């Protein structure tokens, strides 16, 4: 079975500060990992994905994520947050199944 | 349009009534997914269609829920005898086949059961 844990329900940062959103997965082999963003009033959009190769992946909007097998983690990072980054962020894993399992999401609040 | 289209965008119904939600996937996408998102919760998988294969219905919460898809086109999700706990946003997504492929989501149908 595959599962995803996003331990932080809410994260608050100041505009311009760095950001790290945590994601831990459970799957026996190398999984396919994704981060999606859900902005207010908009559908979910893929930020980035990992399925092999370089463990540091770059995505859209200046986001990056690092796959760490030893920690079963795929944390999302951004060096400088913009007010427009305020949204709900979902980590997802697709292991042996073609059906991605999503975490419960982390709500990002950006203070001016 | 170029994206995944869902209708209606909002649906208010009375407890006990049946509802039908529609999803138009991106043309050429063989895979189609339905998820449910309750307020403040993550995405809960409901059902998965891949081409002409038998759908994976393992996520359907009860026999009141059913879904159909005609070939690789439109899908409908039907909820019979709606209950208040069915209130949620129902999201549809489509993708090309393969575990590494990204999902393209629609804007969802907000279902409210009074």
């Amino acid at each position: 079975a595959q599962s995803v844990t996003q331990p932080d329900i809410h994260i608050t940062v100041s505009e311009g500060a760095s950001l790290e959103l945590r994601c831990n997965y459970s799957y026996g082999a190398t999984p396919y990992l994704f981060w999606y963003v859900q902005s207010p009033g908009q559908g979910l959009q893929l930020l980035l994905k990992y399925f092999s190769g370089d463990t540091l992946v770059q995505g859209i909007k200046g986001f990056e994520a690092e796959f760490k097998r030893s920690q079963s983690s795929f944390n999302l990072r951004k060096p400088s947050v913009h007010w427009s980054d305020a949204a709900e962020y979902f980590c997802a894993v697709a292991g042996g199944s073609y059906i991605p399992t999503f975490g419960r999401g982390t709500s990002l609040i950006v203070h001016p | 349009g170029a994206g995944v289209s869902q209708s209606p965008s909002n649906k208010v119904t009375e407890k006990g009534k049946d509802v039908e939600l529609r999803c138009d996937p991106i043309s050429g996408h063989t895979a189609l997914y339905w998820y449910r998102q309750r307020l403040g919760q993550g995405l809960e998988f409901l059902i998965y269609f891949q081409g002409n294969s038998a759908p994976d219905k393992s996520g359907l919460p009860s026999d009141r829920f059913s879904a159909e898809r005609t070939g690789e086109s439109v899908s409908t999700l039907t909820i019979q005898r709606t209950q208040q706990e069915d209130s949620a946003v129902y999201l549809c997504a489509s993708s090309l086949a393969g575990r590494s492929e990204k999902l393209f989501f629609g804007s969802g149908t907000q279902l409210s059961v009074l």
Side-chain angles (χ1 to χ4, degrees):
Chain A
Q2 59 193 32
S3 66
V4 174
T5 301
Q6 292 182 250
D8 303 306
I9 298 175
H10 302 284
I11 290 281
T12 301
V13 298
S14 297
E15 190 169 15
S18 63
L19 170 71
E20 182 169 27
L21 302 182
R22 295 185 291 166
C23 172
N24 292 96
Y25 68 89
S26 176
Y27 181 65
T30 300
Y32 296 81
L33 295 161
F34 309 82
W35 275 99
Y36 286 83
V37 60
Q38 186 177 38
S39 299
Q42 299 186 25
L44 280 87
Q45 179 184 21
L46 181 73
L47 283 175
L48 47 78
K49 64 180 181 180
Y50 170 83
F51 54 92
S52 68
D54 193 345
T55 56
L56 183 64
V57 293
Q58 303 296 322
I60 62 171
K61 304 184 180 185
F63 285 91
E64 66 179 26
E66 186 171 12
F67 169 61
K68 292 186 177 180
R69 185 189 304 275
S70 62
Q71 298 177 19
S72 298
S73 69
F74 189 57
N75 294 349
L76 182 71
R77 301 194 295 248
K78 186 170 185 179
S80 178
V81 170
H82 188 262
W83 64 266
S84 61
D85 293 325
E88 191 83 16
Y89 291 81
F90 293 92
C91 182
V93 60
S97 166
Y98 283 72
I99 302 165
T101 297
F102 286 78
R104 66 178 177 181
T106 297
S107 178
L108 175 64
I109 301 164
V110 181
H111 280 314
Chain B
V4 177
S5 177
Q6 292 188 246
S7 61
S9 56
N10 283 282
K11 177 70 176 180
V12 180
T13 190
E14 294 179 350
K15 178 181 173 181
K17 295 288 180 74
D18 297 351
V19 296
E20 190 172 277
L21 312 180
R22 177 187 170 105
C23 173
D24 282 277
I26 293 172
S27 178
H29 281 189
T30 59
L32 187 147
Y33 307 75
W34 283 97
Y35 286 87
R36 178 170 68 178
Q37 185 177 25
R38 290 191 168 120
L39 187 64
Q41 302 296 313
L43 277 69
E44 176 187 2
F45 165 71
L46 296 177
I47 188 168
Y48 164 67
F49 295 90
Q50 172 53 51
N52 294 317
S53 302
D56 183 331
K57 305 179 182 180
S58 61
L60 294 178
S62 77
D63 58 9
R64 296 187 296 106
F65 288 72
S66 63
E68 293 182 347
R69 186 183 186 193
T70 305
E72 296 181 357
S73 62
V74 171
S75 176
T76 56
L77 176 68
T78 301
I79 308 173
Q80 297 178 311
R81 305 181 302 281
T82 53
Q83 304 294 313
Q84 288 185 332
E85 62 263 28
D86 299 334
S87 296
V89 176
Y90 289 82
L91 293 168
C92 175
S94 70
S95 76
L96 298 169
R99 282 173 289 170
S100 67
E101 296 298 330
K102 72 176 185 179
L103 273 59
F104 292 80
F105 281 86
S107 297
T109 294
Q110 172 71 65
L111 175 65
S112 300
V113 182
L114 304 180

